[in-house]
Amino acid sequence: PQVQALYDRTLAQFPPWAVSASDRFFAREEEVHPLDSNRPGRLYLAICAPGKGAQTPIIRIWSALLQTAYEMWQFSQSNETDQFYTLVGYFNAIRELAGALSLYRQDIPQRMDFQFGQNARLLDRKMELSSRVSSMDLPILLQGLETTAPDALDVVLATSMFGTGVDVDRLGLMVVHGQPKTTASYIQATGRVGRQTGGLVVTFLRASRPREMDHFEFFPGSHRAL
């Protein structure tokens, strides 16, 4: 009646009304359980460590993920475990990437030696995908990402360059350091892992940054809306 009175026209809604909001005939929505292996996807996990600074959480997150992925592959050497063998670290700035690189060279191996002893994973293969890398070397570097375990890369340290043009199906593990400036960058970067058999995306957000703290507090709701 309101449309008829204002515009002298009839109203038709598309998609039409339905009994359930998640079933509109043309589109169906369904919440997928994180442990549903029949329909693999990406599981997003947020970590915030108030009072711990920036370096300590990075050391512990990387150490735990790298060692667990290594032990999983040793227990069952398959494509499902190989996808977690290479850890992708995504950074919003070169300065943060360089800081994590120094931790990878010294602090993270020391942490793994202290925690896991003789069973600690040996970290000796890394790759950097950033503006500091020559464009002439990129094809060779991207080809190296296809190598499977145990000869695969241990870590890949990347910036926004990773969000475009990297189509490697075997990658399934990523740590995002800080919330990217745009939602599109976040979706593009995290969409490069778990493309075929599912993946895990760990987002490390700093409590000292109000914007990242806001993302942490509304993490589940915002990701359901993506």
Side-chain angles (χ1 to χ4, degrees), residues 8 15 28-29 44 77 128 130 157 186 193 225:
D8 192 22
R28 292 181 176 88
E29 298 177 3
Y44 288 81
Q77 299 180 11
E128 179 177 337
S130 67
L157 300 100
Y186 182 68
V193 299

Side-chain angles (χ1 to χ4, degrees), residues 122-165:
L122 179 62
L123 303 178
D124 56 357
R125 298 184 183 94
K126 65 174 178 62
M127 177 189 296
E128 179 177 337
L129 292 177
S130 67
S131 58
R132 300 193 298 184
V133 178
S134 173
S135 59
M136 301 295 293
D137 299 333
L138 283 179
I140 300 176
L141 294 176
L142 295 178
Q143 187 176 1
L145 291 174
E146 300 282 358
T147 306
T148 58
D151 299 324
L153 293 166
D154 296 312
V155 299
V156 178
L157 300 100
T159 56
S160 58
M161 180 185 296
F162 187 80
T164 55

Side-chain angles (χ1 to χ4, degrees), residues 113-226:
D113 290 339
F114 171 77
Q115 193 168 12
F116 306 108
Q118 295 181 350
N119 297 324
R121 177 177 178 175
L122 179 62
L123 303 178
D124 56 357
R125 298 184 183 94
K126 65 174 178 62
M127 177 189 296
E128 179 177 337
L129 292 177
S130 67
S131 58
R132 300 193 298 184
V133 178
S134 173
S135 59
M136 301 295 293
D137 299 333
L138 283 179
I140 300 176
L141 294 176
L142 295 178
Q143 187 176 1
L145 291 174
E146 300 282 358
T147 306
T148 58
D151 299 324
L153 293 166
D154 296 312
V155 299
V156 178
L157 300 100
T159 56
S160 58
M161 180 185 296
F162 187 80
T164 55
V166 180
D167 298 320
V168 181
D169 293 337
R170 63 170 294 269
L171 297 178
L173 182 60
M174 172 181 280
V175 178
V176 181
H177 295 263
Q179 189 68 23
K181 294 182 179 180
T182 63
T183 304
S185 300
Y186 182 68
I187 294 175
Q188 286 181 352
T190 58
R192 300 297 168 177
V193 299
R195 298 170 63 89
Q196 294 293 331
T197 56
L200 173 64
V201 178
V202 179
T203 305
F204 171 54
L205 302 170
R206 299 188 188 183
S208 59
R209 299 176 179 177
R211 178 174 174 270
E212 295 188 7
M213 193 63 185
D214 181 72
H215 279 280
F216 177 75
E217 292 175 348
F218 298 97
F219 195 80
S222 63
H223 281 71
R224 286 193 178 97
L226 289 179

Side-chain angles (χ1 to χ4, degrees), residues 5-16:
L6 290 175
Y7 304 105
D8 192 22
R9 293 184 179 181
T10 57
L11 174 66
Q13 178 176 334
F14 182 86

